Amino acid sequence: MGKDSGELKEYQPLLKDFKEPVQQIKVPSKSLLLAVWAAGIGGTFQYGYNISIINAPTKSVQNFINQTWTERYNTEISTQMLTLLWSTIVSIFTLGGLVGASVGGTLAIRFGRKGTLLFNNTFALLAAFFMGLSYPSSTYELLIIGRFLTGVNAGIAICVQPLYIGEIAPRALRGAMSMGTSIFITGGILTGQVIGLKELLGKEEYWPILLSTTCIPAVLQLLILPWFPESPRYLLIDRGDDVACTKALAWFHGPDKYHGEKEDIERERDCAIGIKPKKPWHLFKDSSLRWQLLTLFVIHTSQQLNGINAIYFYADYVFTQAGIPADKIPYATVGTGACECITALTCGLLIESLGRRALIIGGYSLMSLCCVCFTVALTFQESSTWVPYLSMTCVFAFILSFGLGPGGVTNILTTEMFTQTDRPAAYMISGSINWTSFFLIGMIFPFIVNGLKQYCFLVFLVICCLVATYIFFVVPETKNKTFLEIQSEFRSRKKLIAANGTEGPLLSTLAM
């Protein structure tokens, strides 16, 4: 406690000026919006796109593997081996993502946010080359290599793009601009679903072209992003380049509107004097970041364990029960993607007025209600002709709730809970948590569904309720606050809880 109190005293001369009125930017400039687009198209768009396009050519790729195996070994491949190879092609993406997330923060410190995003396109271009070459060379192993590289690309992107956008956005618009991360993820998912339709590249003979289209967003970013400045915070705090920082701020916000943002960055720089960018293990050793790290673990683990994967798993069954013909179900699936994309856009419009807490707590609360309704609807699915339509309503309601809350706000909180020297390491930790949870849910989810059937949503109900409760009691509102103000609130909350003697054994362990 003595160490933390001393740190707080050091911040007081800087914190006392936070409430002084400064000219805040209420409307994003055209340059800022274009920068968000340039970062997103080759960033988290690739994550969403490569998750969704692998679904359309499932049968075509399996036929290709069977044909190649027969040509090599003069015998048809066994069902078990075919399933193993296909599962490897699909799941190796998560392993690549974990690798990308593990190095993304380090690359962002060394090469800058913009530089890392540009370099990251190398992995997407190589992936497109290998996957496109797999068919003419009759080498299905190239698909595994290509999918691994797309995972590395996605892992770096989902780590570095929020850093870049969160650092170029003005305080008053940080939430709305940071929603670009979720908007481009859902936009990538929707685009992949549309491109995978049979009317476009979903036909069997087009699958090598479909998988190679991951090069298009990469090329677009390589052409557009170099025209935009580096993150002003990175330039001043990490590089110590005051002139470049001022030019970047003027470029993003206008020559007469950037002064308030410059003052915020200078305050944060003054607090970071003599402090080098931290590694992930440094954050775990810092007891003053205990609550932020615990919150990071809670919100990123629950983002994968809240039931959204189960909803998509049950979607085809629900659509079939509602009477939608099998050949029309892909179009209904596109509808779910469009629903998630629209809610991400809506969240971007609401987040600066309602705040982060209201959206994420409200999202998890609505998802809890949907879990109850969906469990009841699936249990009585065949009892009446109108029940399947209730199930279909629950699918879209759950996706809406997820998009308005956890899907949009989680990455924003990751940006806002940490200061400049801690943020890259925090994104490495959150990315590793996310990809590990993604992998684990993919492994255990079939067993959960087979064992509990529709009652698996009662497990997700408990998770959603617990996360909403945790956020309500622990996470402060971060809307329109500087990064140092947010850090100070977490530290004040830690002191209050410690004074009340309510720290549990888990928190005490994290502090060690």
Side-chain angles (χ1 to χ4, degrees):
M1 283 300 297
K3 179 183 176 183
D4 293 338
S5 299
E7 289 177 349
L8 283 171
K9 288 179 181 177
E10 292 177 7
Y11 282 109
Q12 293 307 318
L14 296 164
L15 294 175
K16 68 180 182 180
D17 296 327
F18 282 169
K19 300 304 180 182
E20 291 181 359
V22 294
Q23 183 182 5
Q24 292 192 5
I25 302 167
K26 296 296 185 181
V27 179
S29 67
K30 187 182 297 184
S31 300
L32 181 61
L33 291 173
L34 288 173
V36 171
W37 187 87
I41 192 64
T44 52
F45 180 90
Q46 292 276 42
Y47 171 80
Y49 187 70
N50 284 293
I51 283 177
S52 65
I53 62 165
I54 197 64
N55 295 320
T58 299
K59 293 295 183 184
S60 303
V61 174
Q62 289 178 346
N63 290 337
F64 163 67
I65 294 173
N66 190 19
Q67 178 185 345
T68 303
W69 186 281
T70 303
E71 291 174 355
R72 286 185 187 179
Y73 307 110
N74 296 318
T75 182
E76 285 196 3
I77 191 171
S78 67
T79 303
Q80 293 86 350
M81 180 58 68
L82 179 61
T83 302
L84 175 63
L85 288 172
W86 173 246
S87 299
T88 302
I89 291 171
V90 174
S91 60
I92 199 73
F93 177 78
T94 60
L95 180 59
L98 180 59
V99 171
S102 301
V103 301
T106 303
L107 293 174
I109 294 169
R110 182 165 184 177
F111 301 110
R113 284 50 164 156
K114 187 183 85 168
T116 302
L117 287 173
L118 291 172
F119 170 74
N120 190 35
N121 290 298
T122 305
F123 297 108
L125 294 174
L126 286 173
F129 173 76
F130 286 130
M131 290 190 290
L133 191 63
S134 61
Y135 181 75
S137 65
S138 297
T139 310
Y140 54 75
E141 291 86 354
L142 292 178
L143 290 174
I144 299 175
I145 296 173
R147 284 288 292 175
F148 176 79
L149 291 174
T150 59
V152 174
N153 172 266
I156 294 174
I158 208 167
C159 176
V160 180
Q161 182 197 313
L163 276 176
Y164 182 69
I165 295 178
E167 291 176 6
I168 67 174
R171 189 203 316 176
L173 295 172
R174 192 168 57 224
M177 294 298 99
S178 295
M179 275 303 300
T181 298
S182 298
I183 290 170
F184 277 97
I185 290 175
T186 56
I189 293 173
L190 177 60
T191 304
Q193 290 170 339
V194 173
I195 295 294
L197 293 174
K198 292 189 180 296
E199 289 81 356
L200 297 174
L201 296 179
K203 293 182 179 178
E204 183 168 358
E205 61 269 25
Y206 293 153
W207 71 262
I209 301 174
L210 175 63
L211 296 181
S212 298
T213 52
T214 188
C215 69
I216 297 175
V219 171
L220 284 174
Q221 187 174 72
L222 286 171
L223 291 174
I224 299 169
L225 189 59
W227 298 97
F228 295 86
E230 178 58 89
S231 158
R233 287 182 179 274
Y234 175 78
L235 291 171
L236 185 62
I237 299 175
D238 292 79
R239 291 282 180 85
D241 193 337
D242 187 89
V243 175
C245 172
T246 301
K247 288 181 178 179
L249 284 170
W251 198 94
F252 283 123
H253 310 310
D256 57 339
K257 297 181 179 179
Y258 71 88
H259 300 287
E261 297 303 314
K262 180 72 178 294
E263 291 173 11
D264 287 343
I265 299 174
E266 287 174 342
R267 291 190 184 101
E268 192 171 344
R269 178 197 59 184
D270 293 339
C271 287
I273 290 176
I275 302 176
K276 294 182 179 180
K278 297 178 182 177
K279 303 295 184 183
W281 52 89
H282 294 148
L283 300 192
F284 287 111
K285 292 179 180 179
D286 189 346
S287 63
S288 66
L289 297 176
R290 178 187 305 174
W291 282 109
Q292 289 97 312
L293 288 174
L294 182 58
T295 301
L296 204 67
F297 177 81
V298 169
I299 62 177
H300 282 280
T301 303
S302 60
Q303 194 172 28
Q304 297 296 336
L305 303 179
N306 57 28
I308 188 67
N309 298 296
I311 286 291
Y312 280 113
F313 179 86
Y314 271 104
D316 285 2
Y317 167 73
V318 169
F319 294 149
T320 301
Q321 291 295 105
I324 299 175
D327 60 332
K328 301 298 182 184
I329 286 179
Y331 302 96
T333 304
V334 170
T336 62
C339 177
E340 194 170 355
C341 191
I342 291 170
T343 53
L345 288 167
T346 305
C347 184
L349 297 174
L350 295 176
I351 194 164
E352 295 300 352
S353 57
L354 297 181
R356 285 59 157 160
R357 278 170 53 87
L359 285 175
I360 195 168
I361 294 173
Y364 274 116
S365 300
L366 289 173
M367 289 163 68
S368 301
L369 179 62
C370 290
C371 284
V372 175
C373 295
F374 201 42
T375 302
V376 173
L378 289 174
T379 302
F380 299 100
Q381 186 78 0
E382 298 179 0
S383 63
S384 179
T385 55
W386 59 268
V387 176
Y389 296 100
L390 174 61
S391 300
M392 193 158 59
T393 301
C394 288
V395 168
F396 284 97
F398 195 98
I399 293 171
L400 282 167
S401 304
F402 175 79
L404 283 172
V409 181
T410 299
N411 278 313
I412 297 172
L413 287 177
T414 305
T415 299
E416 295 181 325
M417 288 190 302
F418 297 89
T419 55
Q420 188 76 10
T421 54
D422 302 333
R423 199 173 296 120
Y427 265 102
M428 292 170 69
I429 294 171
S430 67
S432 299
I433 293 171
N434 230 326
W435 286 101
T436 303
S437 301
F438 192 1
F439 175 76
L440 290 177
I441 195 67
M443 294 292 292
I444 66 174
F445 178 70
F447 299 100
I448 295 175
V449 173
N450 290 335
L452 298 177
K453 304 299 182 182
Q454 70 271 23
Y455 298 107
C456 68
F457 285 96
L458 297 180
V459 176
F460 303 132
L461 165 66
V462 173
I463 292 173
C464 290
C465 288
L466 289 175
V467 175
T469 303
Y470 173 87
I471 294 172
F472 179 81
F473 285 107
V474 173
V475 181
E477 179 56 68
T478 60
K479 181 183 74 170
N480 201 25
K481 294 176 183 176
T482 68
F483 296 124
L484 287 178
E485 285 181 302
I486 296 167
Q487 186 180 61
S488 178
E489 284 205 30
F490 269 107
R491 290 183 173 181
S492 299
R493 189 155 301 202
K494 175 193 170 184
K495 288 183 67 179
L496 178 63
I497 293 177
N500 292 334
T502 55
E503 281 188 309
L506 174 60
L507 298 183
S508 300
T509 303
L510 283 172
M512 294 177 62

